[in-house]
Amino acid sequence: VSAARATGDLAGRRVVVSAGGTREPLDPVRFLGNRSSGKQGIAIAEAARARGAEVTLVAANLEVPRPEGCDVREVSTALELQRELVDAAAGADVVVMAAAVADYRPAAVSEQKIKKDASDSGLTLELVRNPDILAGLGAAPHDGTLLVGFAAETESDEERLLELGRGKRRAKGADLLVVNRVGWSEGFAADDNRVVVIGPDDAVVTQAHGSKASVADAILDVVVSKLNPAAH
Ligand code: CTP
Ligand code: CA
């Protein structure tokens, strides 16, 4: 048990975490999805709970057990996630957008299973943009709510990776942006993670690597340091 957990430095705070990956249906049996397991988001929800917060977890297609002691709201698509998240975020002290949200969804969902044609040689799907949920929260009034975004990037160059993170933090109006390198074997289902947290002035506030639980506590250490004591 870390010192932070023992002192309950998130007691009395309401923390909303999105985790997992959205799925966008094509027809009754198929969807467009991504490889996010939800483990890092769950680790953050669990750590926030352990530090005394009241936690709402907006869970998108989790492949792992739901944490104890959290208000869990199950969603599947980006639009469902948006609805639950915006609802839960009202008046929250912290919102952590750890979920991998589909940038696009099929323009139409077929009522029947899509059948292939004996003569076709391929299929073109028409996709439309999903709303950017974090950018929407960042653009709306959110006094007293600290917004934490994630950026999953495949960029291997460290400086360029940080620049992508800085650009995303600004574009979305987030207070903190957690940059996470992903690849075919890094990040997603892994039990260990390595992240860099970028703060409001574009500086690196902290770096952490290790278990997703220890990374979660390192991220929450930064969150606690940025929370407004007067609002408490
Ligand atoms: N995000 C969101 N709504 C979306 C897409 C992303 O809220 N429709 C959030 C993610 O949950 C994450 C952050 O925005 O906290 C960054 O997501 P990411 O996919 O890395 O960035 P994008 O802005 O979608 O850019 P791109 O995928 O093109 O790199
Ligand atoms: Ca994206």
Side-chain angles (χ1 to χ4, degrees):
V1 177
S2 76
R5 289 188 175 207
T7 58
D9 57 4
L10 283 170
R13 302 288 191 175
R14 207 158 69 70
V15 175
V16 179
V17 182
S18 71
T22 64
R23 292 179 178 178
E24 307 297 326
L26 273 165
D27 69 15
V29 296
R30 305 184 179 100
F31 59 82
L32 300 178
N34 61 68
R35 296 181 53 212
S36 179
S37 66
K39 284 182 184 172
Q40 185 63 73
I42 287 177
I44 293 169
E46 280 178 332
R49 182 80 205 92
R51 292 166 77 143
E54 183 191 319
V55 179
T56 298
L57 176 68
V58 182
N61 310 294
L62 296 182
E63 288 169 3
V64 286
R66 280 59 175 160
E68 302 272 312
C70 300
D71 168 25
V72 182
R73 305 194 187 174
E74 303 280 347
V75 299
S76 189
T77 68
L79 292 176
E80 288 166 9
L81 195 154
Q82 180 184 40
R83 197 176 313 128
E84 289 296 337
L85 194 101
V86 167
D87 178 68
D93 295 289
V94 185
V95 175
V96 182
M97 275 297 293
V101 182
D103 294 320
Y104 306 93
R105 67 179 181 277
V109 182
S110 175
E111 285 300 319
Q112 306 295 326
K113 185 184 167 198
I114 299 169
K115 304 294 284 183
K116 65 183 177 298
D117 198 305
S119 64
D120 71 28
S121 60
L123 173 70
T124 302
L125 295 173
E126 190 190 342
L127 306 177
V128 295
R129 277 285 281 275
N130 273 325
D132 189 315
I133 302 166
L134 180 59
L137 291 176
H142 59 274
D143 246 26
T145 305
L146 192 83
L147 298 179
V148 184
F150 269 71
E153 304 289 354
T154 51
E155 174 62 59
S156 57
D157 180 78
E158 191 73 21
E159 246 336 287
R160 283 202 295 265
L161 186 77
L162 290 180
E163 272 314 305
L164 288 169
R166 292 184 175 113
K168 276 187 186 173
R169 192 195 63 73
R170 276 184 246 121
K172 290 162 190 278
D175 299 292
L176 299 171
L177 202 292
V178 183
V179 190
N180 183 358
R181 188 181 287 138
V182 295
W184 295 108
S185 59
E186 284 172 288
F188 285 129
D191 287 317
D192 274 20
N193 208 2
R194 203 181 80 78
V195 302
V196 177
V197 182
I198 293 167
D201 52 2
D202 274 355
V204 171
V205 200
T206 200
Q207 308 207 35
H209 59 95
S211 69
K212 287 187 173 178
S214 70
V215 166
D217 270 319
I219 293 168
L220 291 178
D221 287 344
V222 179
V223 164
V224 166
S225 76
K226 302 283 178 195
L227 283 176
N228 175 10
H232 194 38

